[in-house]
Amino acid sequence: MGTNYDAYAAKMRALTLDGTDLEVVARFTDMLCHRESQVLDIGCGVGNTVNALRRMGHHAYGIDPTPQVLEVAAELFDGTWFRQLSANQLESASLRSHGLPEQYDAILLAGNVPAFIPREQLRGIFSLADQVLSSSGVLIIGTTSHTKGGSADQDELRQGTSLQLMQRFSDWHLSPYQSDSPWSVSVYAHIKQRSGFPIPDGIFVLPS
């Protein structure tokens, strides 16, 4: 069964214009990143997450292989933030050739993107993240837990990279993940416990 991309793009456009909250992924990502982070949203759709991250002060870019959704993204937001690029084209050279940064503080796959791409493409995304994420960078994957590209597949495919599972939640609001949780939000990083950021982050230690 083929996907009706025109209908999907129209649906997401309508939800955006109606003011539906489509920015929870951006809030989650913002919490994990320092200000002015470089962020790549793989499978960005109509661009709500990219737009929200830009408004929060990050340098966010979105890629998607589907022209219908990118047309809506360019209508609603700034078209220069988006590129038509599929997961199987992702490598350092293609990022450069499309005018995108070659290093990131966060890479996102949200909204079941892993379920709709071949297994080898998801493996390639882990490999790319291993190469282009900064030392404190994160790969964030939100998807249905027990389908193709779910948590078990992710943990297997990240092997062979330096990325480790830092944390896994059952939603974007930090709810605990259980083995029967239908949804998973997984955060991978080069080191399991990231060090703090060298800029003010809302923590003000009082003198002893």
Side-chain angles (χ1 to χ4, degrees), residues 100-139:
L100 293 170
E102 295 180 60
Q103 187 174 62
Y104 293 90
D105 301 294
I107 295 176
L108 313 178
L109 284 88
N112 283 318
V113 169
F116 292 98
I117 62 175
R119 179 182 174 86
E120 286 308 306
Q121 287 186 23
L122 183 55
R123 187 191 303 275
I125 289 171
F126 272 98
S127 297
L128 178 77
D130 193 23
Q131 298 170 33
V132 304
L133 280 177
S134 62
S135 59
S136 61
V138 288
L139 170 63

Side-chain angles (χ1 to χ4, degrees), residues 112 143-147 149-152 169 177-184:
N112 283 318
T143 191
T144 301
S145 298
H146 306 293
T147 189
S151 51
F169 306 98
Y177 180 82
Q178 308 292 338
S179 60
D180 60 348
S181 296
W183 182 265
S184 63

Side-chain angles (χ1 to χ4, degrees), residues 31 65 72 188 191:
M31 177 181 60
V72 175
Y188 294 90
I191 52 177

Side-chain angles (χ1 to χ4, degrees), residues 155 158 163-168 185-189 192:
D155 291 344
R158 68 97 189 161
L163 298 176
Q164 303 180 55
L165 180 65
M166 190 174 78
Q167 186 57 269
R168 177 167 285 144
V185 177
S186 305
V187 181
Y188 294 90
K192 205 163 190 177

